[in-house]
Structures are given as structure tokens and as C-alpha cells.
Amino acid sequence: MRSAWTAAWVAMLLLASAPARAADAPIPVRIRMIQGSRQGPPGVPPGLEDLKAQLSATAYVRWEQAGEVQASMVARKPVAVSIPGGDVVTVTLVDARAGSATFEVSAPASRTQSRVTVGRGKRIVQQVSAERGGTAWFVTIKAGG
Amino acid sequence: MRCAGAAPLLGSRPGELDPTEEALLNAHLSTCESCRARQADQAAVAGIIEDGLLLEASRRDFTDFADGVMARIPASAWRGGAPVGGLERLRAFLRRHRVLAAASALAPALAALALYLYIGRTTGAGPSELAVEVTSEDLAAVVLETSDGPVILVGEASDGT
């Protein structure tokens, strides 16, 4: 009888701590640095095909990937990614749940900060530099690699 | 007062009549032989009934009443001359109903599991969950929502420069 009570309480404690453990568990995140241009022949390289729906929503027609970072992120530990030109963008996983993740992106070059919650399989595309000469830099973030 | 008015008052108990009724009844009884006789009969009957009830009650023997009550309390409810507490009785009940006790022990765990699953389901991914907050010091920010996720653009300076 005592063992049944003990098992019940252990189960309750495990269940109660499950959301906290899920939020603290590292999740793989894929961050890509891409450049969009208004001029030139339209084109999306094969490596960015998965972003086509989002990229085509912008006024930029030509896209190129400049770099990629694959990180195992934990909550509240920022990851810094460099974009050509010397600017640094900071990506922080704020919260991760079973079906969604919240990221904070800080881009000093454009003095822009965002906090975005996306569902599983969704991506964030964020402009991180002001447009110069018809081109601008973006980062794309996808939780789950 | 006539006999018809005095009849309902005959046989009344001491203090039952108000002073006026009592004075009128006494005045009538002092002059009416018939009513005096009727009152004497009623007093005699009341005395016989009272004596009979007392006699009947005295036949019952209550000397073993307390012992009889104590004897009906089960011996398992006593320990060392003192009655067993509620906790002991609860333990005894749980020992006799192990399945019920185990089910009651698991009930909170199952309730917590159900709550956890419910919360997990309601906080699942979905377009309605999309939340975007953008702050920019100089540039105007625009958020485009697409089926694959948000696109955040920063455009011309907020002040139009």
C-alpha cells in the first residue's frame, strides 16, 4: 500500500516537472545568413528552396546564401552569428515547447529586435540590415535543424 | 357560573387556569355538589393513571443499561482501555480494501497526467499561435505572415528620412 502511494507521488512530481525539463532541453536550430537583391536575374539557389514561399513574399528577387550555423540551443543562451560586413546578429532561444519555439533576434546593424514564436516546421525570415544599394541581409531560423 | 361553564375547567392542573377562571370555578364548586363530585372523580382517575405509569416504569431495570451499550462496541475499536483513533480505523479500512486504496492513490497521478496532456495539446503548434513582436529604433518594421512562417522586413526610416 505504501509503495502505491509512493509511486503515485513520484509520478506526480515527474509530470509536474516535465514542462520545465522540456523547456530546458537543447533543441537543434538551423540559422542561415542570406542576402536578397532587388536587381539582377531572379533566382533562388537550391539550398534555399525550402524558403521560397517566404522569400517570394518580399520585393527582393535574387537570393544567395552567405553562411550557416547549426547550433544546439538551450533557453536563454544566445548564439551570435556574423554576417558579411562585420555585423553580428544575436539569436536567443527564449522558450521551447512541444510544438513551438520562441526566438529573440537582435540585430544591432538595423537596431531592430524581435521576439517570434513559431510552430513546429515553421521558419523565421528576418531582415537584419538596412537596405543598401538594393541589397539587404537576412537571417533565417528554423527549430529542429 | 353555571355547570355547563364549569365543566371544561374541572380537572385542570394547578396553575393552568388564570386567576379569574379559578375564582369563578371555586365559587361555583362551593355551591354545586354535582360539580364537586365530578371533580373528585376526575382527580381520582388522574391519580390512578399517574400511579400506574410510575409503577410500569419502576418495573424496568436500568442498572445494566450502560454495560449493555458498552458491550455493543466491537472489541477491535478499543486498545489499552481507550477507544482507537480515526487514523487506526482508516488504516484498518485500507487494509481491508486494498484495491480501492490503490485506486485512490493513483487518482491524483492520473488527474495530473490528464492535465499535462491537456496543456500540451492546447499549447501545440498552429498558425493561431504565431506571435511576433518587433521593435526598431530607426526603421519601420513590417511583418508578413506566410504559410511557412513570418517574414520580418525593415524598410525606410520611421521618420521618413
Side-chain angles (χ1 to χ4, degrees):
Chain A
M1 183 57 53
R2 184 169 295 176
S3 61
W5 280 100
T6 305
W9 281 107
V10 169
M12 285 183 66
L13 291 174
L14 288 175
L15 287 169
S17 64
R21 287 186 289 111
D24 292 337
I27 62 169
V29 178
R30 184 185 187 190
I31 304 170
R32 286 177 280 184
M33 289 71 77
I34 61 177
Q35 186 182 41
S37 302
R38 292 180 186 268
Q39 292 87 22
V44 175
L48 300 179
E49 280 290 333
D50 58 318
L51 297 168
K52 201 167 184 178
Q54 287 169 283
L55 299 182
S56 62
T58 71
Y60 300 91
V61 295
R62 182 172 182 80
W63 295 91
E64 290 177 1
Q65 179 171 339
E68 178 172 330
V69 172
Q70 300 217 22
S72 182
M73 296 187 71
V74 294
R76 298 174 295 279
K77 293 287 176 60
V79 171
V81 294
S82 299
I83 58 175
D87 294 327
V88 175
V89 175
T90 304
V91 179
T92 306
L93 175 65
V94 178
D95 185 34
R97 299 181 181 228
S100 65
T102 300
F103 291 95
E104 199 169 82
V105 180
S106 180
S110 60
R111 282 186 275 191
T112 302
Q113 189 161 4
S114 68
R115 179 183 284 240
V116 184
T117 300
V118 288
R120 187 194 302 273
K122 308 295 183 185
R123 303 169 194 82
I124 301 167
V125 175
Q126 179 170 347
Q127 185 177 345
V128 292
S129 75
E131 182 180 315
R132 292 190 189 91
T135 64
W137 286 100
F138 294 75
V139 296
T140 74
I141 304 166
K142 182 190 177 189
Chain B
M1 177 178 280
R2 295 174 177 274
C3 291
L9 307 180
L10 297 176
S12 57
R13 295 180 176 279
E16 191 176 358
L17 301 179
D18 61 42
T20 305
E21 289 176 327
E22 191 170 1
L24 290 172
L25 178 61
N26 290 334
H28 177 72
L29 290 176
S30 64
T31 59
C32 181
E33 181 73 22
S34 170
C35 286
R36 274 203 308 273
R38 192 176 300 167
Q39 187 180 38
D41 291 343
Q42 289 188 4
V45 170
I48 291 170
I49 292 174
E50 185 176 350
D51 291 344
L53 290 174
L54 286 173
L55 182 63
E56 185 66 22
S58 65
R59 286 179 183 167
R60 296 296 303 259
D61 184 7
F62 289 96
T63 54
D64 59 348
F65 177 78
D67 293 337
V69 171
M70 301 307 287
R72 294 179 64 180
I73 299 175
S76 59
W78 292 82
R79 184 178 60 190
V84 176
L87 185 59
E88 283 297 323
R89 269 185 265 175
L90 177 62
R91 284 178 178 164
F93 175 83
L94 294 178
R95 278 194 293 272
R96 288 196 303 272
H97 303 85
R98 289 177 184 276
V99 176
L100 179 64
S104 65
L106 289 175
L110 292 175
L113 176 63
L115 183 63
Y116 172 70
L117 294 176
Y118 173 76
I119 292 174
R121 183 176 299 175
T122 55
T123 57
S128 60
E129 271 207 339
L130 183 66
V132 181
E133 297 173 24
V134 183
T135 55
S136 181
E137 290 186 21
D138 296 328
L139 305 174
V142 177
V143 179
L144 306 175
E145 291 190 10
T146 72
S147 58
D148 287 349
V151 178
I152 301 168
L153 300 170
V154 289
E156 299 295 329
S158 303
D159 58 1
T161 58

